[in-house]
Amino acid sequence: MIQYSENGRIPFEKLMDLYNSVGWTAYTKDLNVMKKLLPGALSYTSAWDGDRLVGLIRTVGDGCSILYIQDLLVHPDYQRQGIGQTLVTQTVAAAENIRQIFLSTDNTEKTVQFYRSVGFVTMEETGAVTFIYRGDK
């Protein structure tokens, strides 16, 4: 049975294992970045199968007007079991008074379908636009 923990202690090696399991080496190749992920988060919720970290959602924001879902990871052995949906649902429910909840993700059919299934829409559908600073212009 999967257990969920909000802002609970996560051993560093278990965090590394989860990020590596989904191929997020842009994070794991820099240990200094990895060590800042959880302390720098507004909140995070982890999913556990016994002592195995199998899922994580990490948010950043100001806690009152904006929440950004920075990371959502589910170990490949545990995908398609409702863990990601539970992590998102719990996070959004805890942020009911926050007006703006955002995330950015890969534009693949799988990810778009998942986020639509948990209530997200594209910015375009809201009549708004989002900008990202590239720094090279």
Side-chain angles (χ1 to χ4, degrees), residues 19 24 27 37 56-60 68-73 115:
Y19 276 78
W24 286 17
Y27 284 89
L37 290 183
L56 177 76
I57 190 167
R58 184 173 71 91
T59 68
V60 295
Y68 192 93
I69 297 174
Q70 180 63 40
D71 297 336
L72 174 62
L73 307 86
Y115 285 109

Side-chain angles (χ1 to χ4, degrees), residues 18 24 47 51 68 76 81 83 87-88 94 97-98 106 111 132:
L18 179 61
W24 286 17
D51 67 350
Y68 192 93
Q81 297 179 30
I83 295 168
L87 290 168
V88 171
N97 294 322
I98 296 178
D106 296 331
T111 56
I132 186 167

Side-chain angles (χ1 to χ4, degrees), residues 25-44:
T25 56
Y27 284 89
T28 60
K29 70 181 179 183
D30 188 338
L31 297 182
N32 289 323
V33 168
M34 287 298 296
K35 289 177 182 176
K36 293 177 184 177
L37 290 183
L38 300 182
L42 178 65
S43 68
Y44 58 91

Side-chain angles (χ1 to χ4, degrees), residues 33-126:
V33 168
M34 287 298 296
K35 289 177 182 176
K36 293 177 184 177
L37 290 183
L38 300 182
L42 178 65
S43 68
Y44 58 91
T45 301
S46 52
W48 298 85
D49 184 5
D51 67 350
R52 185 177 188 190
L53 178 63
V54 298
L56 177 76
I57 190 167
R58 184 173 71 91
T59 68
V60 295
D62 63 9
C64 57
S65 65
I66 187 168
L67 179 79
Y68 192 93
I69 297 174
Q70 180 63 40
D71 297 336
L72 174 62
L73 307 86
V74 176
H75 191 285
D77 294 345
Y78 290 82
Q79 291 178 3
R80 315 261 330 139
Q81 297 179 30
I83 295 168
Q85 180 179 14
T86 298
L87 290 168
V88 171
T89 302
Q90 287 180 356
T91 298
V92 170
E96 67 180 339
N97 294 322
I98 296 178
R99 250 188 44 231
Q100 301 175 61
I101 301 175
F102 293 97
L103 64 88
S104 297
T105 189
D106 296 331
N107 189 10
T108 66
E109 185 176 338
K110 178 182 174 183
T111 56
V112 170
Q113 285 181 353
F114 170 76
Y115 285 109
R116 285 189 181 285
S117 77
V118 293
F120 283 81
V121 297
T122 66
M123 285 296 283
E124 184 177 84
E125 291 173 82
T126 69

